[in-house]
Amino acid sequence: MEFLGATQTASYCGPRRTCLFPDPAPTSTTQDSYQSYYLPGYRYLSSWRPSLFCKGSSVPSGADERLSPARRLPTVLPSLRSALHARYSPHDWHQATVAQLTGSEASRRWAGKLNSDSMRLMQDKDQLTYQMQEGSRRNLGQRLSSLDFWRAELVYELDYLLTESQALETAKKRLECAADEMQGPLKTALECLYNREKRMGIDLVHDDVEKSLIKEVDLLKDWQARMRKLAERINQQLGINRDVQHALEQDLSDKNSAHFIDQKCFNLRNTSDSINFYHGVEKIDGTVSVPETWAKFSEDNIKSSQRARADSARLHDETEAALETASEETWSRYTSTNLAFNRRISEVADAKNKLQAQLAKV
């Protein structure tokens, strides 16, 4: 766009032209249709640039009439006329201003709406996060209660199992000791039988003493076998108890680890230190059970321990009963053998006295 009142020699007005030898205008009808136009106060270019056309003043007036319109001197700002027709009207200017204000108002309104939506979304997400955290905290509290319950059950069952295993171990030692102690009476009874085999002639009789000694030997051997067999059963039951004890201890250790982790998670807050977010960790399912199977696992371990304790208690009672019965039977057989010996000794002594008396008479 050219400025009003700019000189023809300005750098932004195109190439410099000379007034004495103007360029021949093109023979187009568009150039001929334009008329000379002078602004008020600027009718002649020489009025403000007198030295520009100093040589042109000597041209005769008759020659001016012979000049064609294409040979006329250029007016001030020849492109100004077309520029004036290309300008906007005041109405357009006001409309543009109103459009700018309307657009700015709409943009501001949309920005305010977006800000409100963002704040509402932030509040909704914050409330949802708070609700989820409260739900997680409540679930963690329930999980800690369940862990405390099962830990107490496991500790209780483990203590009773250890007590029963210790009592069973003591019963096993008593059985082994009783079986070893029966070796002495057994040797004595066998020695008696061996010595009675030295009798001569008619005295080698199968009397009540021999019968009682044989029964005593059989009884002692039988009780030794029964005690050793019972001790072997106790040994097997102790192995089962150790397996159950290992399962209970492993389950209790897992419960303690889970309780420590859940307790730490329960005490975490948004302001806690060393809180890191790991992308995708919520999609990883590292569990191997559900709450039902988790509780059933500990319940099965407790039931196994209860069965083991029941078997141990039954073996312990059987051991006590066996020891008591063995003691009564061996003592009864020992008494019967001693009575048979006394009777036999009396009979032999009486027969000996009669023989001696008869021998004296003879």
Side-chain angles (χ1 to χ4, degrees):
M1 179 181 292
E2 296 179 356
F3 294 94
L4 182 63
T7 61
Q8 294 272 345
T9 59
S11 61
Y12 49 78
C13 292
R16 182 175 300 179
R17 298 182 181 184
T18 176
C19 60
L20 296 179
F21 303 99
D23 296 334
T27 58
S28 62
T29 57
T30 303
Q31 183 68 24
D32 296 339
S33 63
Y34 289 114
Q35 300 294 331
S36 299
Y37 179 79
Y38 301 96
L39 293 176
Y42 299 95
R43 184 168 183 81
Y44 297 101
L45 188 61
S46 59
S47 62
W48 62 286
R49 294 289 298 272
S51 62
L52 187 60
F53 298 103
C54 58
K55 295 182 180 181
S57 60
S58 60
V59 179
S61 59
D64 190 11
E65 297 177 356
R66 293 190 300 268
L67 293 174
S68 63
R71 293 293 184 175
R72 292 180 182 177
L73 296 177
T75 60
V76 179
L77 303 178
S79 61
L80 187 60
R81 184 176 181 86
S82 61
L84 288 176
H85 286 287
R87 290 181 179 180
Y88 297 102
S89 64
H91 178 72
D92 295 337
W93 181 81
H94 285 292
Q95 289 295 328
T97 303
V98 171
Q100 290 289 340
L101 293 177
T102 304
S104 176
E105 185 67 22
S107 178
R108 188 174 61 83
R109 184 171 60 253
W110 279 105
K113 184 179 179 180
L114 183 60
N115 189 19
S116 300
D117 292 342
S118 300
M119 293 299 296
R120 184 170 59 254
L121 180 61
M122 291 171 60
Q123 293 176 357
D124 293 342
K125 291 301 181 181
D126 183 63
Q127 185 177 4
L128 180 61
T129 302
Y130 177 77
Q131 292 176 357
M132 293 179 66
Q133 286 181 345
E134 287 298 321
S136 300
R137 182 177 177 83
R138 183 170 56 255
N139 293 333
L140 282 173
Q142 295 176 358
R143 173 58 62 180
L144 288 175
S145 299
S146 300
L147 285 171
D148 290 335
F149 170 76
W150 287 112
R151 285 173 64 197
E153 290 293 324
L154 290 171
V155 169
Y156 175 83
E157 191 63 32
L158 183 60
D159 290 341
Y160 267 80
L161 181 64
L162 291 175
T163 302
E164 195 64 36
S165 297
Q166 186 176 2
L168 197 62
E169 186 72 28
T170 303
K172 177 187 174 183
K173 291 180 180 180
R174 290 182 62 190
L175 282 173
E176 292 176 350
C177 183
D180 292 338
E181 288 178 353
M182 284 184 178
Q183 192 67 25
L186 179 60
K187 288 182 178 181
T188 302
L190 290 174
E191 188 69 22
C192 290
L193 288 174
Y194 293 151
N195 289 328
R196 285 176 62 84
E197 289 296 325
K198 296 177 182 179
R199 292 175 297 173
M200 305 298 293
I202 194 63
D203 289 331
L204 191 62
V205 63
H206 186 63
D207 54 3
D208 293 335
V209 175
E210 188 173 358
K211 293 178 181 178
S212 181
L213 285 173
I214 292 173
K215 289 181 180 179
E216 184 178 357
V217 169
D218 293 339
L219 179 66
L220 290 174
K221 288 183 177 181
D222 181 60
W223 273 115
Q224 277 187 335
R226 291 170 62 181
M227 286 180 180
R228 289 192 174 95
K229 186 176 181 181
L230 188 58
E232 185 66 24
R233 290 173 56 192
I234 290 176
N235 193 23
Q236 294 178 359
Q237 185 61 41
L238 287 174
I240 296 174
N241 291 355
R242 283 191 292 270
D243 293 338
V244 175
Q245 177 185 351
H246 176 72
L248 289 176
E249 290 176 348
Q250 185 64 37
D251 194 6
L252 182 60
S253 177
D254 295 340
K255 292 292 186 297
N256 290 331
S257 300
H259 187 274
F260 174 76
I261 294 172
D262 289 343
Q263 184 69 31
K264 185 176 181 180
C265 294
F266 183 78
N267 294 327
L268 283 178
R269 298 294 183 272
N270 294 331
T271 57
S272 300
D273 297 334
S274 301
I275 296 180
N276 297 323
F277 177 73
Y278 300 94
H279 294 279
V281 69
E282 69 280 359
K283 299 179 181 179
I284 299 176
D285 186 12
T287 60
V288 295
S289 64
V290 294
E292 290 77 12
T293 58
W294 173 79
K296 188 176 183 301
F297 179 77
S298 298
E299 186 177 358
D300 291 342
N301 288 333
I302 291 176
K303 287 182 178 180
S304 299
S305 176
Q306 290 175 352
R307 288 193 298 268
R309 287 197 300 110
D311 295 340
S312 299
R314 186 167 54 253
L315 283 175
H316 185 267
D317 295 340
E318 188 176 351
T319 300
E320 294 294 334
L323 289 174
E324 185 177 356
T325 304
S327 176
E328 291 178 356
E329 291 184 359
T330 53
W331 181 256
S332 175
R333 182 52 54 188
Y334 172 75
T335 303
S336 298
T337 302
N338 286 338
L339 292 176
F341 262 113
N342 290 330
R343 288 193 300 268
R344 186 61 179 170
I345 290 172
S346 298
E347 292 176 355
V348 171
D350 185 47
K352 178 183 177 183
N353 291 331
K354 289 180 180 180
L355 288 173
Q356 286 179 352
Q358 192 66 29
L359 179 62
K361 292 179 179 179
V362 171

